[in-house]
Amino acid sequence: MTNIDINYYPFLITLSEKDGSINQITYQQQIIIDHSKLWNIRLNHNGEDIRVEPSDLLFTRISRETPFSTTVYWKTAILSVAVRLLLEDGQICFYIHVDCHQNDITIADIQFPILNCMPISEQGKDDYLLLPWQNGWIIKDPVRNLLQREQPLPFWLGRGGKRYENEYPSQLSFQYTALYNDSRYGLYFATEDGDARIKTIRYQPAPLGGLSYSVVHYPENMLATQTYTQPYAVVMTIFKGDWQTPTTIYRSWAIQQKWARKRLTDRAMPKQLEQIGLWRINHMNYALGTRTQEYFETTIKLRDVVNAPVGLHWYGWNMGEHDIDYPEYITEAKRLENWPQQLKCWNQRFAQAGIVKIPYVNARLWDIHTKSWQAENAPAAALVDEIGQLYREPWKNNNLRPMCPATEQWQQKVFEFSIETMEDLGFDGLYLDQIASFNATLCFNPKHPHPQGGGSWWNDSYHTMMRKIRDAVGPNKILTTESCCESYVDCFDQFLILDTNMQGSGFNAIADGENCESVPLFNMIYGGYALCYGSICRFSDPIEIFTFNFIRNILWGFVPTVEGGDESDLNIEAIADYYAILRSGVDFYLSNRELLWHSRLLQLCDIPCDSISIQFKIRQSGVLYYKSYPGVYAVIREDHTGKLCCLGYNLLNRKQSVLLFGRQHIIEPQAFFMIDSESMML
């Protein structure tokens, strides 16, 4: 049977004349996509699912509207499908339109495009998958190390079991991904949706080897609508290089979106952020935050070590357990003990010592064991699934239910505890957990003020929530959230990122530490537009791990941050070595704050030099592994004028002579350096 060729030079798309699915896509005669069904639609017929793919419909015709625009049509008595393939700016753009023709059949969701990627290296062993999870990860040989796993993943990492899939907006922070081998070629995929509608990105082993990429689109009023027109492009192109190349491609689109309308230079940022030299979090040492006297005294000690104001990201401020009693936080018993007034006095004492405080609250979850859950009829504002049940998420006591951000009740609840925390208790801002880190969730409660199922309502609702809070507290309160989903760049002053340290992150327990690596996507895409802090730098870690994590974070663009630091941490024999790293990092950050805030991370340098080997222990499994990094760790940053500079640090205890951009430089041991563009030959 004859195939149908669509020549979009340098791409050639070959469709099956039998059913219109993709036989191949080639690039300069190299097969990059092979035998792909192209789409799969889930229909609803009187409450029952019906799955339909190209072979189930009659492939009717193909229309070549222009040399760069082609539409493929399928039709039966119950369903019509049209797929448009557009070549634009060197990218293939995919669009789909679906119509149902019977009143008792509606659309649930659309998986499109389904593209089966050929292995790039031999059997894919040296292929890498760029995952836009949190700040970004790369997975080596992703089919074997991630997609062929049969075990389910931790729910906060995504969904697995012979696949990997996750949602945007959050947990996926960005709308692009890439499969590549940096010595051959790479495939770039993205959804260019400036309204941040809910969607799922799915990766599966391809039937004939390699990796299958697809997007699941959710219509507004899903299960009720009979028509769907994809309102944004899914794009694919080819590139040469590693993960940094597709990140540059994506950035050119991303910074034109509504959430990136203002650079940091044009935003009213809280004044206190400019003075903070070090953030301290107690994410992994929750109990420390309940020992207020110790928390105060050790913070004073850290303040004096770095000789700069310290910001507290404070867990345990409410004297309760983590993930308990949300959103009441301070229990009736603690209120009877006069804890709110005591806390207010403590906050005044912290402020007099020049210490900034923002407490933990959660903007997404309600504890079903609180009195308010029933008294305020909280279930009416909770998220509801397709069959009308409240979602259940396996938090530690199975006691927390995710709330619908579109409801007035939840919006008002978050507003009320936010205002009480900042205005009544005297905090300097607020950390609203999970907004930029946890999954956008389809909601099917017909009484809620949003379209059933999909749409941009999730993202829009959190923007409404944050505007109300910001308008009430003014520009000088510090508002932060977890992780770094891009669509909230315009909502928060900083983003807490916790996944850059290899020993404590999730994917190294799944793919093994040797087969994955954290990469700074947020810093590369939104440098100059947004700030981040965090990652886990602990005094209980070996000094080489502490140094590497702390220094690399600063060079990537993080505001310096440490974890924990209770009395036992700060009394270890080698504490002077940790303090030296702290002082050096904070001094460098404050001296170069303007550059680090307002430039973007352009690239990581691959400098010929001696390497270092660091032994990590995976926290979840206790497995030990080694990773090598350049002994002189360096990055290129670009300011808003286009001026370049190289920032770096010699991690070795001896001088290094390195060739940087055509000139030889002597780098002092265990020291920062900066070489501006006038000294570089690019």
Side-chain angles (χ1 to χ4, degrees):
M1 184 171 290
T2 305
N3 292 319
I4 302 168
D5 288 340
I6 304 172
N7 191 344
Y8 284 168
Y9 182 82
F11 298 99
L12 179 65
I13 305 172
T14 303
L15 303 180
S16 165
E17 191 178 60
K18 179 181 178 181
D19 64 12
S21 62
I22 290 178
N23 272 356
Q24 289 180 345
I25 300 179
T26 61
Y27 177 83
Q28 296 180 344
Q29 301 182 335
Q30 169 78 46
I31 299 173
I32 56 176
I33 303 294
D34 197 19
H35 290 91
S36 303
K37 291 180 180 179
L38 192 55
W39 51 263
N40 186 299
I41 300 169
R42 181 167 68 102
L43 302 174
N44 182 271
H45 179 239
N46 296 326
E48 298 293 327
D49 282 349
I50 303 173
R51 287 282 181 182
V52 182
E53 57 188 39
S55 59
D56 297 319
L57 272 65
L58 178 64
F59 171 42
T60 58
R61 63 190 176 95
I62 181 170
S63 173
R64 191 74 178 261
E65 295 91 6
T66 74
F68 306 109
S69 177
T70 304
T71 305
V72 188
Y73 297 90
W74 297 260
K75 189 173 183 179
T76 64
I78 66 169
L79 188 70
S80 297
V81 178
V83 167
R84 186 183 180 208
L85 306 172
L86 177 69
L87 183 67
E88 190 171 61
D89 297 328
Q91 298 179 331
I92 301 175
C93 305
F94 297 84
Y95 298 89
I96 193 168
H97 175 82
V98 182
D99 276 316
C100 297
H101 305 311
Q102 289 185 196
N103 291 336
D104 58 350
I105 295 179
T106 57
I107 301 170
D109 56 55
I110 300 98
Q111 184 184 5
F112 169 81
I114 304 170
L115 300 172
N116 296 331
C117 309
M118 292 292 291
I120 302 171
S121 62
E122 183 180 355
Q123 297 181 332
K125 292 179 180 178
D126 292 313
D127 292 356
Y128 288 85
L129 175 65
L130 175 63
L131 278 180
W133 184 83
Q134 310 288 313
N135 195 32
W137 284 80
I138 53 173
I139 311 293
K140 184 180 181 181
D141 194 359
V143 174
R144 291 169 184 81
N145 290 320
L146 179 63
L147 304 182
Q148 288 183 345
R149 286 175 49 91
E150 294 186 358
Q151 302 90 338
L153 297 175
F155 75 104
W156 46 265
L157 199 61
R159 293 181 299 281
K162 294 294 186 179
R163 71 186 192 281
Y164 178 77
E165 67 179 27
N166 219 323
E167 273 70 60
Y168 174 91
S170 310
Q171 296 171 6
L172 301 183
S173 299
F174 317 100
Q175 298 185 54
Y176 79 115
T177 188
L179 179 71
Y180 68 92
N181 175 281
D182 54 11
S183 64
R184 299 193 66 192
Y185 69 87
L187 290 169
Y188 168 91
F189 301 100
T191 56
E192 295 185 339
D193 177 11
D195 288 317
R197 297 169 181 86
I198 303 173
K199 58 187 67 68
T200 297
I201 309 302
R202 180 176 295 166
Y203 310 85
Q204 294 174 280
L208 301 178
L211 176 151
S212 178
Y213 163 86
S214 62
V215 182
V216 182
H217 311 267
Y218 303 103
E220 291 188 356
N221 299 312
M222 56 187 290
L223 303 176
T225 187
Q226 292 191 290
T227 185
Y228 174 76
T229 300
Q230 182 183 308
Y232 48 84
V234 181
V235 303
M236 182 193 83
T237 195
I238 202 136
F239 67 90
K240 296 291 180 68
D242 65 7
W243 59 272
Q244 297 177 90
T245 304
T247 301
T248 300
I249 296 171
Y250 184 73
R251 183 181 187 274
S252 65
W253 175 83
I255 61 173
Q256 298 179 51
Q257 305 315 305
K258 60 186 178 183
W259 52 78
R261 285 175 181 157
K262 291 184 178 181
R263 291 179 173 269
L264 291 173
T265 50
D266 302 320
R267 291 175 58 177
M269 300 295 286
K271 299 298 182 184
Q272 293 181 98
L273 276 182
E274 297 180 6
Q275 282 79 46
I276 292 174
L278 180 70
W279 278 97
R280 181 195 193 185
I281 63 177
N282 61 305
H283 173 259
M284 302 181 70
N285 193 348
Y286 186 90
L288 174 60
T290 67
R291 304 195 297 268
T292 317
Q293 183 68 40
E294 180 184 350
Y295 202 43
F296 177 77
E297 291 173 355
T298 49
T299 303
I300 294 295
K301 186 176 291 188
L302 290 173
R303 180 203 65 184
D304 293 343
V305 166
V306 299
N307 192 30
V310 173
L312 291 182
H313 180 107
W314 191 347
Y315 297 81
W317 59 277
N318 56 324
M319 295 296 145
E321 290 185 51
H322 197 42
D323 288 347
I324 298 291
D325 292 325
Y326 304 164
E328 294 175 8
Y329 296 103
I330 301 178
T331 64
E332 288 184 13
K334 285 297 176 184
R335 290 183 185 275
L336 290 173
E337 293 174 9
N338 203 31
W339 176 244
Q341 186 58 39
Q342 295 176 54
L343 180 59
K344 188 172 182 178
C345 292
W346 270 112
N347 276 332
Q348 291 171 351
R349 191 174 174 189
F350 276 111
Q352 290 166 0
I355 296 166
V356 176
K357 309 83 53 195
I358 61 170
Y360 173 99
V361 296
N362 191 296
R364 207 180 68 90
L365 301 172
W366 199 317
D367 188 340
I368 61 174
H369 298 142
T370 57
K371 288 184 178 180
S372 58
W373 175 259
Q374 293 297 336
E376 299 180 27
N377 190 24
L383 292 164
V384 171
D385 65 17
E386 283 190 25
I387 61 173
Q389 301 296 313
L390 302 190
Y391 286 93
R392 298 169 67 90
E393 297 174 351
W395 302 101
K396 67 180 182 182
N397 295 321
N398 197 29
N399 60 315
L400 300 170
R401 297 292 179 268
M403 305 303 293
C404 181
T407 60
E408 176 61 28
Q409 182 179 356
W410 184 241
Q411 292 253 344
Q412 185 62 24
K413 193 69 176 178
V414 175
F415 179 83
E416 288 172 358
F417 69 65
S418 297
I419 299 306
E420 179 191 12
T421 306
M422 286 185 277
E423 300 294 347
D424 298 346
L425 299 178
F427 281 101
D428 300 300
L430 198 62
Y431 170 75
L432 294 110
D433 195 21
Q434 296 195 336
I435 291 179
S437 72
F438 213 79
N439 304 66
T441 306
L442 303 172
C443 183
F444 296 88
N445 190 324
K447 296 181 180 180
H448 289 183
H450 59 73
Q452 182 171 275
S456 64
W457 63 268
W458 181 274
N459 178 73
D460 297 342
S461 298
Y462 274 121
H463 275 75
T464 299
M465 177 187 291
M466 294 311 302
R467 277 195 300 271
K468 290 179 181 177
I469 294 171
R470 175 63 77 191
D471 289 346
V473 301
N476 284 320
K477 293 291 187 181
I478 301 169
L479 299 178
T480 75
T481 191
E482 182 184 8
S483 196
C484 52
C485 183
E486 65 184 356
S487 66
Y488 305 109
V489 159
D490 55 341
C491 289
F492 294 98
D493 303 308
Q494 286 193 142
F495 293 84
L496 179 73
I497 296 174
L498 296 173
D499 67 310
T500 72
N501 66 307
M502 287 298 295
Q503 72 274 19
S505 300
F507 273 108
N508 63 7
I510 302 301
D512 295 328
E514 294 86 350
N515 297 310
C516 63
E517 183 63 65
S518 172
V519 290
L521 303 187
F522 185 74
N523 312 79
M524 282 194 165
I525 298 167
Y526 292 106
Y529 290 86
L531 295 176
C532 62
Y533 66 122
S535 202
I536 307 299
C537 298
R538 301 176 296 185
F539 297 99
S540 57
D541 287 330
I543 187 65
E544 66 273 12
I545 292 179
F546 179 89
T547 301
F548 178 77
N549 286 335
F550 190 67
I551 297 301
R552 186 175 71 163
N553 287 342
I554 294 171
L555 293 175
W556 281 4
F558 284 65
V559 180
T561 309
V562 291
E563 158 72 33
D566 60 19
E567 287 180 350
S568 62
D569 283 338
L570 302 187
N571 286 317
I572 60 175
E573 185 176 344
I575 192 62
D577 296 331
Y578 292 83
Y579 284 169
I581 296 300
L582 275 187
R583 279 191 295 269
S584 177
V586 172
D587 286 348
F588 180 81
Y589 164 75
L590 290 175
S591 298
N592 298 282
R593 186 189 64 77
E594 284 292 319
L595 173 66
L596 291 167
W597 273 37
H598 302 304
S599 65
R600 70 164 172 133
L601 180 61
L602 184 63
Q603 68 181 76
L604 307 187
C605 296
D606 186 13
I607 298 174
C609 63
D610 293 342
S611 64
I612 60 168
S613 182
I614 299 178
Q615 184 186 62
F616 294 101
K617 178 187 286 187
I618 299 175
R619 188 176 71 241
Q620 295 89 337
S621 64
V623 174
L624 295 173
Y625 65 96
Y626 288 88
K627 292 190 80 75
S628 292
Y629 297 95
V632 178
Y633 195 92
V635 304
I636 303 292
R637 301 194 71 89
E638 179 187 47
D639 70 16
H640 66 283
T641 69
K643 182 180 178 181
L644 304 178
C645 66
C646 178
L647 308 180
Y649 187 88
N650 182 2
L651 292 157
L652 300 162
N653 60 5
R654 58 189 180 276
K655 291 182 179 180
Q656 288 285 288
S657 177
V658 298
L659 185 66
L660 283 172
F661 311 107
R663 295 186 182 182
Q664 208 73 27
H665 297 269
I666 301 299
I667 309 299
E668 294 298 320
Q670 297 178 333
F672 285 97
F673 64 90
M674 181 170 68
I675 302 168
D676 64 28
S677 57
E678 295 177 0
S679 305
M680 298 193 303
M681 297 173 62
L682 295 177

